[in-house]
Amino acid sequence: MRQNSAPLLVSSDPGLLRHWRSALGIESPIELGSFAALKGLVRRTGDIVWLDLAVADIPPWSDPVWNELLQHKKLRILAASSYPKDEEAMIALDRGCAGYCHAFADPETLLQVHQVTSADHVWIGQQLMQQLIQRANSAMPMNKPVPTLWAEQLTSREREIASLAAHGAANAVIAAQCDITERTVKAHLSAVFEKLGVTDRLQLALKVHGIQ
């Protein structure tokens, strides 16, 4: 996990900034009001940026400036939209964002997003993950068997949790179905990631579904 896990908040919406501060439990965050101000921090390292995609000067995803911000991993940017769209989410993730979410999501979800990205993982919501898996599966030959070697490395409980997570189940859902706490779910997922050599839920999902 990054030592500097306090995020930078980029938005010109006072209400959204208050929502983020409250949800993430931040008293004195660094707040920027424009994309131009964010560009000035490109030389910083280790920062996680909550970027409101509604800021007036944000460039299109095709703009080369994103290469400087994202491809060199100077900043880990979480793209947040008040009107999220799956297609935009896929573009943002493809460009190198650490995640994409609804800007005004409930505090519990926003905190989970922050925890995931702070641990150097990529945040992908349940619906988008399911779509990615479906698209990947549709590109595979219908008669191609799904490898199950991944399961041999895990305990029975780890296999159960890995399968649920790979199908997009949130930690709370997994905890309820397995009759365990969310803390235990996180511990099992950490063990699964380590054993399977993956770093996030998307990589886990691809491995479980036999997608290379």
Side-chain angles (χ1 to χ4, degrees):
M1 181 178 295
R2 293 166 179 263
Q3 294 182 350
N4 181 13
S5 59
L8 304 176
L9 309 182
V10 183
S11 177
S12 57
D13 183 338
L16 178 57
L17 289 171
R18 285 195 300 271
H19 182 60
W20 284 353
R21 287 196 301 268
S22 176
L24 303 179
I26 308 170
E27 294 185 358
S28 301
I30 298 176
E31 296 180 358
L32 306 174
S34 67
F35 186 84
L38 174 61
K39 285 174 54 181
L41 298 179
V42 71
R43 295 184 182 279
R44 293 173 59 118
T45 59
D47 288 314
I48 296 174
V49 179
W50 284 69
L51 175 61
D52 177 9
L53 295 182
V55 293
D57 63 338
I58 197 164
W61 290 108
S62 58
D63 193 301
V65 70
W66 290 107
N67 291 333
E68 184 180 14
L69 290 176
L70 296 169
Q71 299 304 316
H72 298 296
K73 308 301 181 184
K74 295 291 186 182
L75 304 170
R76 282 177 60 79
I77 295 180
L78 176 69
S81 172
S82 298
Y83 303 97
K85 302 177 182 65
D86 289 339
E87 290 302 322
E88 182 179 50
M90 291 182 182
I91 293 173
L93 294 170
D94 183 63
R95 292 294 275 152
C97 285
Y100 180 96
C101 71
H102 196 302
F104 287 94
D106 62 271
E108 182 179 356
T109 297
L110 293 180
L111 184 58
Q112 185 176 7
V113 172
H114 178 56
Q115 291 171 342
V116 168
T117 53
S118 294
D120 283 340
H121 300 322
V122 176
W123 171 265
I124 298 176
Q126 179 177 354
Q127 180 177 337
L128 180 58
M129 181 181 291
Q130 290 173 339
Q131 286 200 25
L132 289 171
I133 292 170
Q134 289 171 359
R135 292 187 181 194
N137 278 331
S138 66
M140 297 175 61
M142 293 297 293
N143 60 348
K144 182 177 179 180
V146 177
T148 58
L149 294 178
W150 65 270
E152 298 176 1
Q153 306 175 56
L154 309 178
T155 66
S156 59
R157 177 46 64 90
E158 289 171 349
R159 287 196 294 271
E160 180 182 17
I161 291 174
S163 180
L164 288 169
H167 284 84
N171 285 356
V173 174
I174 298 174
Q177 185 160 335
C178 297
D179 194 24
I180 56 179
T181 66
E182 289 189 53
R183 183 185 297 272
T184 302
V185 172
K186 293 177 183 178
H188 279 304
L189 283 176
S190 294
V192 168
F193 288 172
E194 182 175 355
K195 289 181 179 180
L196 299 184
V198 299
T199 59
D200 53 54
R201 281 174 171 252
L202 179 57
Q203 290 185 12
L204 172 63
L206 296 177
K207 183 175 287 289
V208 170
H209 289 267
I211 302 168
Q212 302 301 321

